[in-house]
Amino acid sequence: MTKLSIVQLLYLLYVQAYSDEGSVTKGVVKSYLPRDLKDNAEKTYEDLIKQHLIESPKRNRLSITILGKETLIAELRTTKYRFDTVKGQRVINTIIDLLQQMSCNPSDVEDIDYETFVEKFKELYFTERRKQELHGVVAISSREICQNFSKINSISQVLLDEYFNRLKSTGKIFAVIEKNEELIQWAE
């Protein structure tokens, strides 16, 4: 996982804390950032989008991704940042919720071995491919298929990333970047 800067940590935390019905505006998130960090808000937004930690389901609205939530939880464990102003009960309640999830998550995740991963990932890939072929166009996004895989299977994000990168490095899948989205194709 990526090490976050303070502004990135706060940005992710505020996206999570102030999301109503699953999303929040960029303006709301920026308004809660400390004054000295507000100038970096747009660059921070772009960096977090590139890292797939947040997504923009609608114009000017943000939501945190599964990877973003996991990264935020991991960062909260090791951060040296201390709030110097009262941010309100939403932020405090969000931190408590994330810490409670953190205490539950490690026992919930059963990591699978690489061979099992390849078998299950290949099955998911071809299921998705058949579904897309019915619509006439096949464009399988690595981000979406990995999110679907983690929803279906009990695997940590770190191990999922490692195994997925091994699929690419061993030539089992080919990946291309198309319009800022990584698309994959099974090599067989």
Side-chain angles (χ1 to χ4, degrees):
M1 277 191 200
T2 310
K3 184 74 177 147
L4 299 177
S5 66
I6 295 298
V7 68
Q8 290 173 327
L9 172 71
L10 291 176
Y11 203 98
L12 271 182
L13 180 61
Y14 296 159
V15 168
Q16 178 69 26
Y18 294 102
S19 288
D20 292 321
E21 298 179 23
S23 67
V24 65
T25 64
K26 289 168 54 174
V28 167
V29 174
K30 184 177 178 179
S31 72
Y32 284 100
L33 290 173
R35 276 185 217 137
D36 57 327
L37 300 177
K38 285 184 182 185
D39 294 338
N40 297 332
E42 189 62 32
K43 182 179 180 339
T44 302
Y45 161 77
E46 291 169 4
D47 291 343
L48 294 173
I49 287 280
K50 286 178 187 171
Q51 295 177 45
H52 303 293
L53 301 178
I54 58 173
E55 58 190 3
S56 185
K58 295 179 185 171
R59 188 166 184 243
N60 291 327
R61 296 208 58 90
L62 311 173
S63 62
I64 193 166
T65 63
I66 294 169
L67 177 60
K69 199 171 191 178
E70 290 174 354
T71 303
L72 178 58
I73 290 169
E75 286 290 318
L76 285 173
R77 277 191 274 183
T78 60
T79 188
K80 303 286 187 228
Y81 182 78
R82 296 291 175 248
F83 291 99
D84 56 3
T85 61
V86 178
K87 295 295 181 184
Q89 67 187 29
R90 284 183 93 160
V91 172
I92 302 301
N93 288 335
T94 299
I95 291 171
I96 291 169
D97 290 343
L98 291 169
L99 292 175
Q100 288 172 345
Q101 289 175 17
M102 180 175 61
S103 65
C104 296
N105 281 349
S107 62
D108 294 344
V109 175
E110 294 177 21
D111 288 334
I112 58 178
D113 61 68
Y114 180 69
E115 289 75 26
T116 306
F117 169 80
V118 172
E119 184 180 304
K120 290 182 175 191
F121 193 88
K122 184 176 180 180
E123 182 181 329
L124 179 64
Y125 172 85
F126 282 106
T127 301
E128 180 64 25
R129 183 179 172 140
R130 281 190 293 277
K131 192 184 331 175
Q132 288 188 16
E133 283 173 344
L134 294 174
H135 298 297
V137 176
V138 176
I140 299 176
S141 160
S142 62
R143 179 179 50 84
E144 289 177 15
I145 198 165
C146 286
Q147 284 178 348
N148 290 340
F149 188 88
S150 66
K151 286 178 188 173
I152 297 168
N153 299 285
S154 181
I155 186 170
S156 69
Q157 186 65 43
V158 173
L159 198 58
L160 176 62
D161 292 342
E162 178 187 327
Y163 286 169
F164 182 75
N165 288 331
R166 194 186 308 179
L167 282 177
K168 290 193 293 189
S169 66
T170 58
K172 290 190 185 295
I173 59 173
F174 297 113
V176 296
I177 304 295
E178 187 80 26
K179 296 181 182 175
N180 292 330
E181 187 74 39
E182 183 179 59
L183 303 176
I184 62 167
Q185 179 179 349
W186 200 266
E188 296 173 16

